Amino acid sequence: MFAPKGSLEIHETAWNCYPYCKTVLTNPDYMKDNFEICIETWHKPGCADLDNVHGLSAKELADREVINIDIANDPFNEKGAPDNEDPAKFHSEKTGRGPLVGPDWHKSCEPVMTCYKQVKVEFKWWGVQTRMEKYIQKVERQIFQKFHRQLFCWIDKWHGLTMADIRELEAKTKEDLAKNLHEGEVRGTKPIQD
């Protein structure tokens, strides 16, 4: 595959200060100021009952599109997704949580947390801007759905970890990532087909 130098490089800057997180993705070597994905996340207790957690203006509220992701019931047709990553089938041995069954599962679970994500995409390229921004939004939704499904279904792997355990896991992950960048095959997210 041939692509202009720097066109396939994405730079990520992240600020994690739970319950607030912000991630900014850019392509400074090729698209410069013409490409940015900004994801702001608030983690709040409850069942998606806060309307303006990001403090948007009246115009921003009117322009936004709200997309609710139900990790147990929304269609998820990723090829090869294992059954043990299906929140509607998974049961945690450590916490007793799950499976998440029925359309109102969140009303009978305790505790419940909602991740409010605001995704702003700029892809300034004449002729393809709108199409690419919509495509990126679609892929981001897919990433969020997969991540949060896995987060719930992997609860027995992370529940009860100490900060020392987490730092050790982060170091191992960083090492594995560096190795895969130089030796591994190209991997990534493929969009869900409608």
Side-chain angles (χ1 to χ4, degrees):
M1 177 164 141
F2 295 98
K5 185 177 182 195
S7 64
L8 302 179
E9 271 189 37
I10 300 295
H11 290 229
E12 176 182 11
T13 307
W15 298 266
N16 295 309
C17 188
Y18 180 84
Y20 174 78
C21 302
K22 180 177 179 178
T23 302
V24 178
L25 304 168
T26 59
N27 177 239
D29 295 336
Y30 187 70
M31 289 190 72
K32 305 193 182 333
D33 292 336
N34 295 318
F35 174 78
E36 181 178 279
I37 302 172
C38 180
I39 304 162
E40 292 184 80
T41 305
W42 277 103
H43 301 85
K44 298 286 185 176
C47 299
D49 49 5
L50 301 177
D51 187 51
N52 190 11
V53 72
H54 292 284
L56 302 178
S57 68
K59 180 180 180 345
E60 289 171 320
L61 284 171
D63 290 345
R64 78 173 176 182
E65 178 184 2
V66 175
I67 300 171
N68 291 306
I69 298 175
D70 181 337
I71 63 170
N73 294 304
D74 285 356
F76 186 75
N77 32 337
E78 181 174 287
K79 271 188 171 177
D83 276 349
N84 65 350
E85 291 182 6
D86 184 348
K89 297 176 183 172
F90 171 78
H91 175 76
S92 167
E93 296 299 322
K94 284 187 177 180
T95 68
R97 295 179 184 148
L100 306 179
V101 180
D104 294 325
W105 62 265
H106 55 278
K107 293 179 182 174
S108 61
C109 291
E110 196 60 42
V112 173
M113 178 179 67
T114 300
C115 299
Y116 297 89
K117 295 186 179 286
Q118 174 180 259
V119 180
K120 293 182 180 178
V121 177
E122 285 189 348
F123 189 99
K124 298 176 190 170
W125 196 304
W126 189 86
V128 296
Q129 179 172 350
T130 301
R131 183 179 304 158
M132 284 304 298
E133 288 176 354
K134 285 181 180 180
Y135 175 78
I136 291 167
Q137 290 282 4
K138 181 179 177 179
V139 171
E140 287 296 330
R141 184 206 183 283
Q142 176 187 347
I143 290 168
F144 299 148
Q145 183 183 19
K146 180 178 181 177
F147 172 75
H148 289 284
R149 286 170 60 94
Q150 288 176 331
L151 185 65
F152 178 77
C153 293
W154 293 355
I155 195 169
D156 288 344
K157 295 178 183 180
W158 58 261
H159 187 270
L161 292 179
T162 66
M163 282 309 293
D165 295 333
I166 293 168
R167 295 294 178 238
E168 185 179 322
L169 184 59
E170 288 174 336
K172 173 84 170 94
T173 301
K174 183 178 180 180
E175 182 182 304
D176 290 347
L177 178 60
K179 181 180 176 187
N180 284 333
L181 283 173
H182 298 292
E183 299 172 10
E185 61 186 61
V186 175
R187 296 183 297 178
T189 300
K190 296 177 184 148
I192 293 173
Q193 300 299 316
D194 290 331

